[in-house]
Amino acid sequence: MMASVFDVAKGVLDASGPVSTMKLEKLVYYCQVLSLVERGQVMFPERVEAWVNGPVSPALFKAHARRYVVTPSDFESIGDSSKLSKADQEIVRTVVEKLGMLSGEDLRELSHAEAPWKDARGDAAPSERCNGEIEPSAISSYYPDPSNPLFA
């Protein structure tokens, strides 16, 4: 059974401890990226969109709306990291190890420099709301980007 975006978020929080919601969204996105690159499959089925501040899962956003920082206990009732396969757990560990030292703002800038986010936004202005989907196929065809620390 495939993990949900909430299970992946719980796994990220278990590995990283409390983080800003922006950072959580980006780390979860990069878990999806690494899963597509390494295994050719999505880690979670929920949609990821190209919002102003980078990739965001609307479902995950609704779960942490109106918070700035989230902790593992905030996801106790909606996410279960034990639902992650061994391969999923390794991807979460790798993403947190390689990108966890970056701030949410750093991760936003990293994603803004990459084609999947840019392409999903289409002609939207930098500060304009956009809900264009970052398609798994766009991720698979773009990464690994050698300038992204995840692949260094």
Side-chain angles (χ1 to χ4, degrees), residues 98-116:
K98 297 230 177 171
L99 300 179
M101 79 296 291
L102 299 175
S103 69
E105 292 77 14
D106 292 337
L107 292 167
R108 178 190 61 214
E109 294 308 311
L110 181 63
S111 67
H112 279 201
E114 298 172 336

Side-chain angles (χ1 to χ4, degrees), residues 50-61:
W51 288 18
V52 169
N53 283 319
V56 171
S57 164
L60 181 57
F61 181 83

Side-chain angles (χ1 to χ4, degrees), residues 19-27 100-104 107:
V19 296
S20 72
T21 54
M22 183 185 297
K23 183 170 180 170
L24 177 64
E25 288 283 355
K26 304 320 166 253
L27 291 175
M101 79 296 291
L102 299 175
S103 69
L107 292 167

Side-chain angles (χ1 to χ4, degrees), residues 9 24 54 88-89 95 100 106 118 127:
L24 177 64
D88 289 345
Q89 291 172 18
V95 168
D106 292 337
K118 290 181 191 177
S127 61

Side-chain angles (χ1 to χ4, degrees), residues 26 47-58 61 112 115-135:
K26 304 320 166 253
R47 179 180 172 99
V48 175
E49 297 179 355
W51 288 18
V52 169
N53 283 319
V56 171
S57 164
F61 181 83
H112 279 201
W117 178 83
K118 290 181 191 177
D119 293 347
R121 289 192 55 80
D123 294 331
S127 61
E128 185 180 348
R129 289 183 66 157
C130 173
N131 65 346
E133 183 173 7
I134 301 176
E135 298 278 352

Side-chain angles (χ1 to χ4, degrees), residues 53-73:
N53 283 319
V56 171
S57 164
L60 181 57
F61 181 83
K62 286 177 189 165
H64 65 62
R66 293 182 289 285
R67 291 188 181 140
Y68 178 74
V69 172
V70 286
T71 67
S73 63

Side-chain angles (χ1 to χ4, degrees), residues 98 144-152:
K98 297 230 177 171
D145 169 11
S147 69
N148 185 311
L150 184 57
F151 304 107

